[in-house]
Amino acid sequence: QVQLVESGGGLVQPGGSLRLSCAASGSSARLHLMGWYRQAPGKQRELVARISESGRTLYADSVKGRFTISRDNTKNTVYLQAESLKPEDTAVYYCNGAELRIGLPDLDHWGQGTQVTVTS
């Protein structure tokens, strides 16, 4: 069973920065896509950024130019560097790993979530 463990959330002032990390363990499953989603109170969970094994990235329009996603395939770890944070970035951030299964849809794995609060 894949386990995703996030770290790096916290309280930050507007304009500040944070680095989130997510380490995958517990299985040899191939997580061909890894990413970050977030969910603010009263809102649906939304994609923040995603990265493939080859390094191809996808960002939500709201974070383009401010957030950078990266991954270290040797450590099965994905990172999210968040800069120029805004109050509207406040949310619980969830790590996601999409397990590649031959002949079957991807199997999604989720971390427990880490709170990011942007406030003065």
Side-chain angles (χ1 to χ4, degrees):
Q1 181 69 17
V2 174
Q3 294 178 324
L4 301 176
V5 179
E6 301 114 333
S7 60
L11 182 67
V12 64
Q13 291 187 340
S17 62
L18 281 175
R19 188 187 195 215
L20 305 183
S21 300
C22 171
S25 63
S27 170
S28 60
R30 179 181 172 188
L31 301 179
H32 73 112
L33 292 173
M34 296 188 77
W36 292 93
Y37 289 70
R38 67 186 181 188
Q39 187 167 19
K43 295 188 177 181
Q44 289 188 331
R45 189 175 296 189
E46 62 176 2
L47 173 70
V48 177
R50 191 178 67 191
I51 186 167
S52 70
E53 284 178 305
S54 63
R56 190 168 183 175
T57 59
L58 176 70
Y59 293 94
D61 288 343
S62 59
V63 307
K64 281 181 182 176
R66 300 189 298 121
F67 289 15
T68 303
I69 190 170
S70 60
R71 68 187 286 173
D72 184 336
N73 292 328
T74 64
K75 297 180 180 179
N76 290 325
T77 300
V78 63
Y79 307 95
L80 185 70
Q81 181 68 39
E83 305 280 351
S84 302
L85 283 160
K86 305 175 181 179
E88 51 264 42
D89 294 317
T90 296
V92 178
Y93 283 69
Y94 295 92
C95 178
N96 170 267
E99 179 183 344
L100 182 68
R101 302 186 299 173
I102 305 302
L104 293 171
D106 288 351
L107 179 62
D108 278 321
H109 301 278
W110 295 93
Q112 80 284 358
T114 184
Q115 177 71 46
V116 172
T117 302
V118 184
T119 182
S120 53

